Amino acid sequence: MSVITTQRIGDILVIVSNNPPVNALGQAVRAGLAEAIAHAAGEAAIKAVIIRCDGRTFFAGADITEFGKPPVGPSLPDLVDAIEQCPKPVIAAIHGTALGGGLEVALGCHYRIAVGSAKLGLPEVKLGLLPGAGGTQRLPRVAGIADALTMIVTGEAVTASKALEIGLLDRVVQTGSLADEALEFAAEVARAAGHPVSSLRTDRIAEAANHPQVFDKFIAENARRLKGFDAPKACIEAVRAAVDLPFEQGIKRERELFMKLVSGTQSRAMRHLFFAERQAGKIDGIPADTPLIPIARVGILGAGTMGGGIAMNFLSAGLPVTLVEREQAALDRGVATIRKNYERTAARGRMTAEQVEAAMALLTPTLAYEDLADCDLVIEAVFELMEIKKDVFRRLDAIVKPGAILASNTSYLDIDEMAAETKRPEAVVGLHFFSPANIMRLLEVVRGARTSPSVLKTVMALAKKIGKIAVVSGVCPGFIGNRMLSPRQREAQKLLLEGASPWEVDAALTEFGFPMGPFQMADLAGLDLGWTAETSSSSTIREVLCERGRRGQKTGSGFYDYDDNRRGSPSPETEAIIAEFAAKSGLPQRKFSGDEIRERLLYPMINEGAKILEEGIAQRASDIDIVWLNGYGWPAFTGGPMFWADTIGLKTVLDGLRRHAEALGPDFTISSLLESRAEAGENFN
Ligand code: 3H9
């Protein structure tokens, strides 16, 4: 069946797209739409046209899989022009998400109506692109500069009610069917004398033409978001062209900027991440008909920062949580923190007071382990020590009902050892949340040797429900993320002893695009994690810093000195401490360039990633990219560590590792997978 069908209802032509799953505007869809519009234009008896979609959504954008392939017409910009130039009024009837090219099609239409639940947006920037089918020129003309800039540069969609408010929609259909309402609307406008043409409008951009500083203000306010990324800057430039240039020239500018982005590395990297994110949810070796375990109540052991953060995920998704602590005071503190976090969100307008109360009402705090009995999933977030974990698993196994899932939030330890303490190793899984657990999107799902397919499939589905990106990892110390962090930390420490300063090491990574470097991160987390004055033996730089009261940002000093606004500056005291350790090490002291620091820190990570792949710990290279992007701040515009390695060439990485072999030390071994792929001129992805 054709993806585009048409139906005549009286003097109205209804064009319907049916291209599952998201009605992407692939070639067949574009051709069908162009043909139907041409027919409507030439047929005197047709007085108005409706474009709508079947399935779960209006057009969700251009077909991303077509990028990088030879273009086959009609092009999307030509299609949008043809719709706009149709002498009959064309109405977009929107449900689901009108995104990217989808919204650009709607902007080419003379009118737009939508159901109340619809969302409209131009998310191209998230793919390292800008709207390339007129969106940067038409949206400002329809919705005004301020809202258009925000939508295009952030890529965030707006709700139907917001779209109505800013003039992007003409009507929101509150009751009744969209198809019927569209027909009624079409009959109304068919009788009107003229119809709004987005490209001809100037009313919404006139003000910005007189106040060009709106762009500078926007750039100043969004500096952090823009850093390192090419696309947002190009988006701003294109919208500026909508104000400065006539429509035809503005479109030309948009095209030039789009072509440059679409053929660049950043967009390739970000498109890779789009598909990588979706791929991560797919688990190898699990039959499609594997049943899900119903999860009606979640139990959490430990009401500390981690346990409380984990609990919030489920409460926010409407799932009841039983929260267990050993002492009343700790339990009260945990519950109070959860409430405080929700109230802060409400104060920022991102939650209503009713929603706060609804979430809190789902929480059952208790001191009784036995209260976990009827939970369908229990996650332990107790102290990170194997003996304690084992004890917890034995107790949970005895209490929690049969069939329930038992999970550990360990970030490092062996899930199989914990599972072995139970009579249901198939029900045991790792759920490694990242701190702050209510905010960070990453969830490492650790598949034990005996974890059942049902358990795995259930936790992956649950992760989606609570808004996490889940990546499956096999069992090994540190799983995917922390295992790759280890060599980076090791090299960062060694560099200090060889003459690099913490500020140089951090700067090498922030220049690369990380939000912070290893020493800034350590200061933020607190240098005294796991440190005690009693056991401190002045044997590492970190210990000495702690002994001197330099325990990180919270104490006003750590590796760095901090001012009242927690802005760090290089510390002479830290330099002196490092110099002492360096002298003791006997290592020759020298200067390091940013490039050399990056090679020393990042290449060993790629090597570890290759080992993780080789051992089957990660299912695919792109899963590793997703972990590092969402858990550790790896810059998105490089596509993640493994994609980045592919971009610079695996041979470059291999040669770099060989060049640094002496500094990396005798224990460092090169992954055979990296070696063979590099020698064969192959990639990871
Ligand atoms: C653009 O429009 C450029 C123009 O300005 C200029 C052109 C000249 N293409 O996310 P889901 C697949 S750029 C191809 O799991 P959900 C996706 O890979 C585009 N495929 O569903 C997945 O495949 P699989 C601007 C696409 O319900 C399946 O559909 N638009 C596309 O969670 C289901 O996806 C965007 O950036 C696509 N455009 O979310 C919007 N979109 O099942 C991108 C999806 O094999 N899309 N697929 O893994 C989205 O944000 C979400 O998919 C959406 C649905 C919200 C629509």
Side-chain angles (χ1 to χ4, degrees):
M1 204 180 96
S2 168
V3 287
I4 298 292
T5 51
T6 57
Q7 189 189 5
R8 270 285 290 280
I9 300 181
D11 53 9
I12 295 166
L13 183 74
V14 184
I15 307 175
V16 181
S17 169
N18 187 2
N19 184 28
V22 298
N23 278 304
L25 285 149
Q27 194 277 334
V29 176
R30 297 194 305 272
L33 284 173
E35 193 185 322
I37 289 292
H39 168 68
E43 173 65 58
I46 294 175
K47 301 295 182 208
V49 183
I50 293 167
I51 300 179
R52 64 174 178 81
C53 292
D54 272 346
R56 63 195 218 214
T57 179
F58 192 75
F59 308 110
D63 186 335
I64 306 167
T65 59
E66 286 184 356
F67 293 156
K69 296 183 187 155
V72 184
S75 75
L76 197 54
D78 287 349
L79 171 65
V80 176
D81 286 347
I83 293 170
E84 191 176 63
Q85 284 156 20
C86 182
K88 321 291 168 67
V90 185
I91 299 109
I94 299 168
H95 76 291
T97 44
L99 297 178
L103 182 56
E104 291 175 298
V105 163
L107 284 162
C109 295
H110 306 95
Y111 301 96
R112 288 158 294 278
I113 70 168
V115 295
S117 58
K119 292 214 163 132
L120 298 85
L122 291 172
E124 283 87 343
V125 72
K126 296 182 183 176
L127 298 169
L129 296 171
L130 54 74
T136 66
Q137 306 303 298
R138 288 190 179 90
L139 185 62
R141 284 174 163 81
V142 170
I145 294 292
D147 287 305
L149 253 185
T150 306
M151 283 177 72
I152 293 170
V153 180
T154 66
E156 296 303 329
V158 295
T159 59
S161 60
K162 171 81 179 172
L164 185 68
E165 182 193 315
I166 64 178
L168 178 53
L169 284 176
D170 298 289
R171 185 173 295 176
V172 175
V173 176
Q174 296 298 3
T175 54
S177 91
L178 178 65
D180 291 346
E181 292 290 324
L183 282 171
E184 210 167 283
F185 187 89
E188 268 172 46
V189 297
R191 292 190 293 272
H195 307 289
V197 173
S198 304
S199 67
L200 297 180
R201 287 180 59 177
T202 52
D203 51 316
R204 302 297 309 267
I205 51 177
E207 197 192 346
N210 300 325
H211 298 96
Q213 60 276 25
V214 332
F215 291 100
D216 299 329
K217 187 164 164 270
F218 186 87
I219 292 168
E221 283 169 1
N222 291 278
R224 250 189 78 199
R225 185 196 293 276
L226 304 178
K227 193 174 159 239
F229 289 88
D230 296 338
K233 293 181 200 103
C235 287
I236 295 173
E237 199 178 329
V239 176
R240 200 191 280 260
V243 178
D244 294 346
L245 303 174
F247 182 79
E248 287 70 27
Q249 286 179 37
I251 283 286
K252 261 200 204 129
R253 189 77 196 109
E254 177 192 273
R255 187 95 292 234
E256 285 162 15
L257 291 165
F258 179 84
M259 294 313 288
K260 197 162 154 209
L261 290 176
V262 78
S263 57
T265 317
Q266 286 202 357
S267 172
R268 218 158 48 81
M270 291 170 80
R271 272 152 29 213
H272 156 75
L273 290 171
F274 176 85
F275 290 111
E277 189 176 320
R278 279 145 188 88
Q279 190 71 15
K282 303 190 170 107
I283 317 162
D284 294 342
I286 295 221
D289 59 356
T290 304
L292 290 173
I293 300 163
I295 305 288
R297 174 172 285 276
V298 178
I300 293 167
L301 202 56
T305 313
M306 210 57 207
I310 295 172
M312 288 179 73
N313 288 295
F314 297 102
L315 298 173
S316 303
L319 271 167
V321 171
T322 304
L323 184 65
V324 180
E325 249 304 340
R326 277 186 312 189
E327 282 160 21
Q328 191 64 46
L331 186 62
D332 292 346
R333 248 193 332 270
V335 174
T337 305
I338 294 177
R339 173 170 282 283
K340 198 177 77 205
N341 284 340
Y342 276 133
E343 283 173 352
R344 197 178 303 144
T345 309
R348 291 190 184 133
R350 280 185 275 146
M351 231 179 152
T352 62
E354 292 75 46
Q355 285 170 324
V356 173
E357 294 315 319
M360 291 307 293
L362 291 169
L363 181 63
T364 311
T366 171
L367 296 177
Y369 244 73
E370 290 66 32
D371 291 347
L372 293 169
D374 64 343
C375 291
D376 304 290
L377 161 69
V378 178
I379 307 170
E380 67 77 16
V382 302
F383 197 72
E384 189 80 342
L385 206 69
M386 186 51 98
E387 286 318 308
I388 298 181
K389 301 273 191 197
K390 280 185 177 174
D391 182 50
V392 159
F393 270 84
R394 276 193 300 271
R395 290 183 69 180
L396 289 178
D397 191 32
I399 291 168
V400 183
K401 68 181 179 190
I405 302 173
L406 305 182
S408 170
N409 176 52
T410 180
S411 58
Y412 212 83
L413 300 173
D414 188 340
I415 289 292
D416 291 332
E417 261 190 68
M418 298 174 209
E421 296 298 314
T422 72
K423 291 186 201 68
R424 47 175 131 177
E426 72 288 348
V428 175
V429 68
L431 292 179
H432 178 209
F433 287 83
F434 286 67
S435 188
N438 53 320
I439 293 174
M440 296 287 283
R441 283 185 77 204
L442 181 64
L443 178 66
E444 269 182 328
V445 170
V446 187
R447 178 183 203 169
R450 297 185 55 189
T451 307
S452 80
S454 256
V455 166
L456 206 54
K457 192 170 165 184
T458 301
V459 295
M460 293 302 278
L462 192 62
K464 195 162 183 185
K465 184 168 178 186
I466 61 173
K468 299 286 176 203
I469 305 181
V471 174
V472 178
S473 170
V475 177
C476 68
F479 315 123
I480 297 173
N482 283 341
R483 177 166 163 186
M484 277 171 77
L485 183 63
S486 282
R488 191 182 94 174
Q489 298 295 75
R490 201 169 48 232
E491 288 313 305
Q493 290 300 327
K494 278 201 264 170
L495 280 165
L496 296 190
L497 300 182
E498 294 169 45
S501 69
W503 3 110
E504 284 166 343
V505 173
D506 284 342
L509 288 197
T510 52
E511 276 162 26
F512 183 77
F514 278 94
M516 60 182 94
F519 300 107
Q520 289 160 323
M521 199 168 96
D523 273 0
L524 181 67
L527 299 183
D528 55 355
L529 274 178
W531 174 88
T532 59
E534 298 74 43
T535 55
S536 194
S537 59
S538 314
S539 58
T540 63
I541 296 169
R542 196 174 175 134
E543 277 190 332
V544 175
L545 288 168
C546 285
E547 287 163 16
R548 303 236 189 128
R550 304 184 65 95
R551 297 183 192 167
Q553 277 195 23
K554 61 184 175 188
T555 57
S557 66
F559 281 99
Y560 292 78
D561 289 330
Y562 292 92
D563 66 14
D564 293 343
N565 296 318
R566 290 203 169 197
R567 253 193 310 264
S569 57
S571 151
E573 187 178 358
T574 302
E575 276 171 359
I577 295 170
I578 292 172
E580 264 178 53
F581 274 87
K584 265 189 276 175
S585 77
L587 289 165
Q589 300 294 295
R590 64 184 182 87
K591 282 262 147 233
F592 286 84
S593 70
D595 280 337
E596 187 174 0
I597 294 173
R598 280 185 286 274
E599 288 181 9
R600 282 282 298 279
L601 295 182
L602 303 183
Y603 289 1
M605 289 180 62
I606 306 300
N607 188 59
E608 201 62 42
K611 288 184 184 176
I612 284 171
L613 264 185
E614 199 175 310
E615 294 167 22
I617 296 295
Q619 298 188 91
R620 44 188 94 85
S622 62
D623 282 5
I624 300 177
D625 291 334
I626 291 299
V627 166
W628 266 81
L629 195 88
N630 295 287
Y632 301 83
W634 188 288
F637 53 77
T638 69
M642 305 313 268
F643 188 86
W644 175 70
D646 284 350
T647 318
I648 60 169
L650 299 193
K651 190 76 172 64
T652 307
V653 177
L654 181 64
D655 290 347
L657 289 171
R658 286 179 175 154
R659 204 166 51 246
H660 297 301
E662 198 181 330
L664 291 168
D667 295 340
F668 184 86
T669 55
I670 288 178
S671 143
S672 55
L673 182 80
L674 172 66
E675 201 156 35
S676 61
R677 296 235 174 137
E679 300 295 3
E682 290 171 359
N683 283 340
F684 287 133
N685 280 289

